Amino acid sequence: MATLFDAGVEARGVERVPEDERESKNTWNNLLMWWSVNTVLTTIPIGVLGQEFYTLSFAHAVATILCFGALGALATAFIATLGPQTGLRTMIITRFSSGYVGGTIYSILNILTQLGFSTTAVILGGQTLASIHPGTLPLVVGIIIVGLCSLIPCFIGYNMVHLYERYAWMLIFLVMLFLWGLGGRAGYDISAQKPLEDSGRALSADILSFGGIVFGSFSGWAPVAADYNCRLPVTTPPLKVFLLTFFGLFIPICFVEILGAALMTITDPAYTAAFEAGSTGGLLAQVLSPWHGGGKFILVLLALSVVANNIPNTYSTALSIMALGRPFALIPRFVWTLLAFTIYTVAGVAGREHFSEILSNFLSILSYWTAFFIVIVAEEHFIFRRRRGYNLDDYDTPSRLPLGVAGVLAGCFGVAGAVVGMSEVWYTGPLGRDAGTPLYGADLGFELAAAFAAVTFLPLRYLEIRLTGR
């Protein structure tokens, strides 16, 4: 083990980074990292869902992506500002609002979230590799290749993650421009979906449901946002971190999700057939087909682009496992990284034929818990810590942290809000049903989760402080 650490494998786990060990060399990675993470193949299918599942016109899909995306980017950028201020990983920061037990609960939710992200990433990457020469490379092998490529930087650690993400966006952003151009060559018809679009209340339900997915594609990074800048100096301006993170999320995600929506407006029968046969991977192969061998090379680049997206999932899964408690933190981070790789690769192989269903349901549910998590952390920071501040040395001392009753109960109310407002294939809450149509509800899950948690955390936390003094 010492040999690995001497060779450059990161030894630090979830312990706080002291001020005298901070460094400023990765400041601009608050923008560049998130740009690389989201200028990837896995972002395209989210835009595709607007027409595939919700029959939205191109104009309504774009408006939904921009509006709900801005909301998600704002929330995630706020969480990112806490990294330099505290020197702590995101899941450890939650202990200051929800106590040691509450932080453990959030860590479990985040483990499931990041593993879910990783599973969708390796499936789509594997699908795309397999579509390059159909029948040559099995989908299972493609999934394993993508997983292994993601593992290497995460195994080495923080500095290698930043090094890779600083440059990964450059080539793939150019590829995305190629896709926009080749799609235009095939012929965008932005009114193609209009005859199929719902109207009135049904249209509102479609927009709200798709908006929840878009919000989740942004807010899904909030539980890991401070993991990648906690080594920046405490003097780093929070506004700078906020703006770099916001634009590092908003510009590339919107750019690529809107590309996915635009590709769905191509009405050429060959493109429609390619999508029906091979989902998003098949559609992209058809878009690139005019370039023949060059198009296949770009497909390889697209498939491997998901590595940039999957790296933070893998790295932060290991950190979240360590944040479960001291026994887990004693085991080196790279061991948990290997475990995470094994789990999501096996899950990807098992769920490889159901990518769209996994993506749609996963992102919707994801937006529910990240919504109340963000609200609780924000209220603690802006209201209860505004004058008192954080005693950061208490991060691993349960007796000096908040009891956590307020945070846990507010989270439970957030879950209740999600349940009554959600609209999924397998369940529709009463408010979600009332907001939609008799046949399909409107997904109000993340909005109600945030609202219920926001309203209940304030009085509960005031009471907790009054009774316990912490």
Side-chain angles (χ1 to χ4, degrees), residues 377-390:
V377 172
E379 289 190 345
E380 179 72 27
H381 180 75
F382 289 114
I383 299 173
F384 299 103
R385 300 286 174 173
R386 186 174 182 179
R387 293 184 179 179
R388 298 169 63 217
Y390 297 89

Side-chain angles (χ1 to χ4, degrees), residues 35 38 118 123 126 131 138 172 191 199 213 229 325 327-328 365 398 403 447-448 463 468:
W35 200 293
N38 293 292
S118 293
I123 290 175
S131 70
I172 302 304
S191 61
S199 59
I213 291 175
N229 61 19
F328 296 91
I365 296 171
L403 197 60
E447 294 94 338
L448 291 179
L463 183 62
T468 67

Side-chain angles (χ1 to χ4, degrees), residues 426-443:
W426 39 272
Y427 173 78
T428 300
L431 295 182
R433 189 182 306 111
D434 291 344
T437 63
L439 188 59
Y440 299 107
D443 196 340

Side-chain angles (χ1 to χ4, degrees), residues 382-445:
F382 289 114
I383 299 173
F384 299 103
R385 300 286 174 173
R386 186 174 182 179
R387 293 184 179 179
R388 298 169 63 217
Y390 297 89
N391 191 343
L392 296 171
D393 292 331
D394 295 343
Y395 77 92
D396 200 34
T397 308
S399 62
R400 302 179 68 177
L401 290 167
L403 197 60
V405 174
V408 172
L409 285 178
C412 291
F413 279 107
V415 171
V419 169
V420 298
M422 69 192 298
S423 177
E424 301 293 336
V425 174
W426 39 272
Y427 173 78
T428 300
L431 295 182
R433 189 182 306 111
D434 291 344
T437 63
L439 188 59
Y440 299 107
D443 196 340
L444 297 171

Side-chain angles (χ1 to χ4, degrees), residues 205-280:
D206 292 336
I207 290 173
L208 287 169
S209 298
F210 180 53
I213 291 175
V214 172
F215 177 82
S217 71
F218 283 80
S219 68
W221 298 117
V224 306
D227 293 352
Y228 302 96
N229 61 19
C230 59
R231 295 191 187 182
L232 291 177
V234 69
T235 55
T236 307
L239 181 60
K240 181 177 182 180
V241 174
F242 179 89
L243 292 175
L244 288 174
T245 305
F246 177 85
F247 289 113
L249 290 164
F250 186 73
I251 296 174
I253 296 180
C254 289
F255 182 76
V256 180
E257 287 185 359
I258 292 171
L259 168 62
L263 293 178
M264 290 296 285
T265 69
I266 300 174
T267 56
D268 187 312
Y271 289 76
T272 304
F275 179 77
E276 291 175 351
S279 192
T280 304

Side-chain angles (χ1 to χ4, degrees), residues 32-33 36-37 161-169 308 311-312:
L32 297 177
M33 174 177 170
S36 291
V37 165
V161 168
H162 274 287
L163 180 64
Y164 184 90
E165 302 289 10
R166 189 178 302 130
Y167 303 107
W169 65 274
I311 284 172

Side-chain angles (χ1 to χ4, degrees), residues 49 52-53 351 353-363:
L49 291 174
E52 182 186 10
F53 281 172
E353 304 299 338
H354 306 285
F355 173 76
S356 292
E357 292 85 349
I358 293 173
L359 181 67
S360 176
N361 288 305
F362 169 68
L363 283 176

